[in-house]
Amino acid sequence: MSHSPSSRLLNQKDKQRLTLLLCIILTFTVMNGTMFNVAIPDIAEEFNLLPSQVSWVMTGYILVFAIGSLMYGKLADFYPIKTLLTIGIILFASGAAIGLFSPNYGVLLSARILQAMGGATIPALAFIIPARFMPDERGKVFGIVSSTVAFASGLGPITGGLVGGAFDWRYLFILSVLSLIAIPFLRKWLPDEPQRKGTVDIPGALFIAVSVAGLLLFITSFSLLGLFAGTSAFSLFIWRMKTFHAPFIDPTMLKNKYYTTTIITSFFGTSAMFGMIFIVPIMARSVYDLNTVQIGLLLFPGAMAAGLIGQYGGKLVDRHGSYPILKAAFIMVMAGSTLISTFVGIPPVFMAACILVQYMAFPLIQSSTANLLTSLVPANQTGVGIGLFNLVNFLSGAISSAVFGALLDFSHIRFLINPFGITNDYAIYSNLFAGLVLLALIAVSVFTFVFRNKVKHLELQSQNL
């Protein structure tokens, strides 16, 4: 099955309008996931909550968001994207409206989960739309979408700090309610699609949902019950995948070593980026004694640079292919991590420049791996292929935050792994970024090894044309 005929329904002007609109609503969604980080202390104080209780404002959102990204990706293989996005934005804005007037913590938590149920449609489908309706420019649009994610992730904490500090944390929900404005434009600019025949494996979807939920619960709360439930559900999911005629995830897709390697590479690359974003605020408070807004400003130049390079990087992917761009992005991750590891303790303005180098790699990794994935899976499996890609990326953020959070407990360490580190006063931060260098090196080495023959084959093909 091919979706290319649908792409002819979009002229160049509609493509540009649709891309801009996607980026605007994607900004609201990504910011919604990060700007509430700075409001956590205020929410805990207002509702008299323990840290373990208030953490569910973020954990519950991430949990539903991660599962939803895979679910909507699968549904997009059968149902019109226009319909899914409309339902998703309505749920997202409805959750925000409830959160804006939440009288107690139970209502607030329900509002955040409703938001996640709807908001998950946006990043899931933002990567599918270019593959389906703009195949000739998908690398360019992937770059723009990825740069938007990187930019919004840096803008979120600043917005949260400014709005929460000047008004009240509830006002953060207003930005999400405004996403309703996008619905009539999306319904006008997105092509009509017929509902395609297919079966949605509901039991398989539930098994993978419980698997992910259990894993995230174990990572964020060290819940042994969550680990047991997740492991049991994953075993049932494997059984279902082997025995059902139309499983939620086609096992033949996972047997494709190029697809699986690309997913794993994206996981490690995104882990390195989320690890940096998680470590830097803690490092900024510990080393430089910066407040919330100042921490946001420390990340902001990198977020701006990522937003700019992502758009140009997408064009490079279309022109030169995903392989060289992905390798260049990992080199930037290693360079940025090395700089931060070496110069921890220098004035914040110079540290912002070091962070900028690594931050710019994020949209390049996202756009090149997304572009590569769409060329590796059949057209009728693009939705679930990208959905699994999104799920793995969200998991990487949760896992890297939990792992680095645990490692930060060893703040008394004075031994420097990096021989060029300028001081061992902040050895724990230097060592963590040295670890990110190693993580990126392993990821790009495995990717290069697996794809070596495929790249040679493509080069020979191009020479014969």
Side-chain angles (χ1 to χ4, degrees), residues 1 15 23 88 124 137 184 188 204 228 263 297 303 328 339 408 432 440 442 460:
M1 183 186 295
K15 288 180 183 178
C23 289
E137 300 179 21
K188 179 180 179 182
F228 174 76
I263 288 284
L297 292 173
L339 288 171
L408 281 170
L432 287 177
I442 292 171
L460 287 172

Side-chain angles (χ1 to χ4, degrees), residues 64-352:
V64 177
F65 203 85
I67 296 167
S69 65
L70 176 58
M71 178 66 76
Y72 285 117
K74 179 67 174 180
L75 292 174
D77 286 332
F78 306 122
Y79 298 99
I81 288 178
K82 181 185 293 188
T83 302
L84 295 176
L85 266 179
T86 301
I87 294 170
I89 293 174
I90 290 173
L91 289 176
F92 181 64
S94 299
I98 294 170
L100 182 62
F101 301 103
S102 52
N104 55 57
Y105 183 59
V107 173
L108 173 63
L109 192 57
S110 300
R112 289 288 285 167
I113 290 173
L114 186 61
Q115 268 197 300
M117 288 172 61
T121 57
I122 298 165
L125 302 180
F127 280 100
I128 296 173
I129 287 171
R132 185 171 297 180
F133 303 126
M134 314 175 199
D136 297 334
E137 300 179 21
R138 67 185 182 193
K140 173 186 173 183
V141 181
F142 283 151
I144 295 171
V145 168
S146 300
S147 64
T148 300
V149 173
F151 173 74
S153 66
L155 190 62
I158 296 177
T159 305
L162 291 175
V163 174
F167 303 101
D168 182 85
W169 58 266
R170 283 183 174 80
Y171 285 90
L172 295 173
F173 283 109
I174 292 177
L175 291 172
S176 302
V177 175
L178 293 176
S179 63
L180 284 171
I181 298 171
I183 290 178
F185 299 101
L186 283 170
R187 296 194 64 82
K188 179 180 179 182
W189 293 333
L190 274 171
D192 292 320
E193 298 175 271
Q195 183 171 320
R196 290 170 286 275
K197 291 183 179 180
T199 303
V200 178
D201 178 17
I202 300 298
L206 290 174
F207 291 148
I208 195 65
V210 175
S211 301
V212 174
L215 178 60
L216 283 178
L217 279 171
F218 176 68
I219 290 168
T220 55
S221 309
F222 298 103
S223 168
L224 293 178
L225 180 60
L227 180 63
F228 174 76
T231 305
S232 302
F234 187 71
S235 300
L236 289 170
F237 172 73
I238 297 296
W239 167 78
R240 181 76 176 180
M241 190 167 61
K242 290 181 176 180
T243 57
F244 190 57
H245 71 281
F248 190 70
I249 296 177
D250 189 344
T252 58
M253 189 169 65
L254 297 179
K255 290 177 183 177
N256 182 336
K257 67 177 182 179
Y258 299 114
Y259 175 84
T260 305
T261 301
T262 304
I263 288 284
I264 293 171
T265 303
S266 177
F267 174 85
F268 282 118
T270 309
S271 293
M273 299 313 302
F274 275 112
M276 182 269 290
I277 295 171
F278 176 79
I279 297 167
V280 165
I282 298 171
M283 181 181 75
R285 181 64 56 86
S286 173
V287 176
Y288 302 111
D289 196 28
L290 301 183
N291 60 36
T292 302
V293 175
Q294 289 171 326
I295 292 171
L297 292 173
L298 184 69
L299 290 167
F300 190 67
M304 283 290 291
L308 294 173
I309 198 172
Q311 299 183 41
Y312 182 65
K315 295 177 183 177
L316 290 177
V317 169
D318 280 333
R319 192 176 306 150
H320 301 290
S322 300
Y323 310 102
I325 305 304
L326 185 59
K327 291 178 184 178
F330 273 97
I331 290 172
M332 291 171 67
V333 171
M334 290 186 280
S337 293
T338 300
L339 288 171
I340 299 171
S341 173
T342 302
F343 297 112
V344 173
I346 62 173
V349 65
F350 298 110
M351 181 52 63

